[in-house]
Amino acid sequence: MSESAAERLLDAAIELFAELGYDGVSTGAVAKAAGMTQSMVHYYFGSKATLWEAAVERVMRRRGGSFEIRQQDLQDIDPLSRLKVIIRRFVAANAADPDLTRILIHEGISRSPRLRWLAERFMRPGYLLFNRAIQDAIDAGMVRDLPPRDVTNIIVGASTLTFSLSALLAEVYDDEDALAPDVDRLSDTLIDILLSGLAVPRSDRTG
């Protein structure tokens, strides 16, 4: 019973922190969204700061299930194929749960102890995974020698904002399908542009 109550509070907190940011959320609002009293929040988590950390931990546990990269999945493929696998799984993870990106957008506006905790505990390993995969492909002569960090930032931006800003895209394109983008199509387009470029080869141009 107690675990279920705590999980309900965490799920309510995740939704509110993703929508409103840390400063825009109170423990009373979380309790109300979960159908509980404010005292229950303090009973299980003590403070809003602890609740926020527990909510992020819950998001990351969910993320681990959709962005699980096992070494045996990658060991027998070349560096370029390895990079493609990581990109596809990352896009799928963000499509499945955009709440993490929305929380990061709120936190990334200014440097804070919360942002430092997020970066050190969760974000840095993921960024380094991409950096290493890109550098391996560079070392193998399979992609151009560009700064891995810049390439990683481009991949992360394209893989996250499409889903976290889906409501905006639906308004821009007047297309409700933008609220649930085609994950495979986005992955294919991102990989194609990243690895082949956007310009049509001169020999293939018409006119």
Side-chain angles (χ1 to χ4, degrees):
M1 179 67 177
S2 61
E3 183 179 7
S4 176
E7 288 177 350
R8 281 166 53 199
L9 288 168
L10 287 175
D11 286 339
I14 289 167
E15 185 173 341
L16 288 172
F17 285 132
E19 179 183 356
L20 302 173
Y22 182 84
D23 292 333
V25 175
S26 67
T27 54
V30 172
K32 182 178 179 180
M36 298 172 147
T37 62
Q38 187 174 12
S39 62
M40 296 295 282
V41 178
H42 296 292
Y43 173 78
Y44 286 111
F45 301 103
S47 67
K48 185 170 82 166
T50 302
L51 172 65
W52 180 87
E53 288 190 359
V56 172
E57 295 266 10
R58 183 165 174 80
V59 170
M60 293 306 299
R61 283 196 299 273
R62 292 194 316 221
R63 173 62 61 99
S66 56
F67 187 48
E68 183 180 6
I69 304 292
R70 299 181 302 172
Q71 189 60 38
Q72 54 264 44
D73 293 336
L74 305 176
Q75 63 185 3
D76 295 325
I77 58 178
D78 64 76
L80 188 56
S81 298
R82 191 180 311 145
L83 179 59
K84 291 179 181 179
V85 168
I86 295 172
I87 291 173
R88 290 185 185 283
R89 293 193 182 178
F90 186 62
V91 170
N94 282 285
D97 188 0
D99 283 337
L100 174 62
T101 300
R102 291 171 178 151
I103 290 173
L104 288 173
I105 288 172
H106 286 292
E107 294 300 325
I109 292 173
S110 60
R111 302 180 78 171
S112 69
R114 289 191 308 277
L115 183 64
R116 190 171 303 112
W117 179 85
L118 261 172
E120 292 178 354
R121 186 170 180 83
F122 296 115
M123 297 299 104
R124 186 171 293 132
Y127 276 76
L128 292 179
L129 173 68
F130 269 114
N131 287 350
R132 284 194 298 269
I134 293 162
Q135 188 62 58
D136 287 345
I138 291 171
D139 293 343
M142 305 183 84
V143 302
R144 293 170 55 196
D145 188 1
L146 297 171
R149 184 172 69 176
D150 292 345
V151 179
T152 292
N153 292 343
I154 291 169
I155 293 170
V156 171
S159 302
T160 57
L161 293 181
T162 297
F163 304 104
S164 60
L165 300 180
S166 57
L168 172 63
L169 297 178
E171 294 294 336
V172 168
Y173 294 112
D174 192 22
D175 179 7
E176 292 301 305
D177 288 341
L179 294 171
D182 186 311
V183 176
D184 291 335
R185 187 186 67 198
L186 178 61
S187 296
D188 289 341
T189 301
L190 174 57
I191 289 170
D192 195 31
I193 291 175
L194 185 68
L195 301 180
S196 302
L198 191 61
V200 175
R202 188 175 298 274
S203 58
D204 294 340
R205 297 177 192 174
T206 59

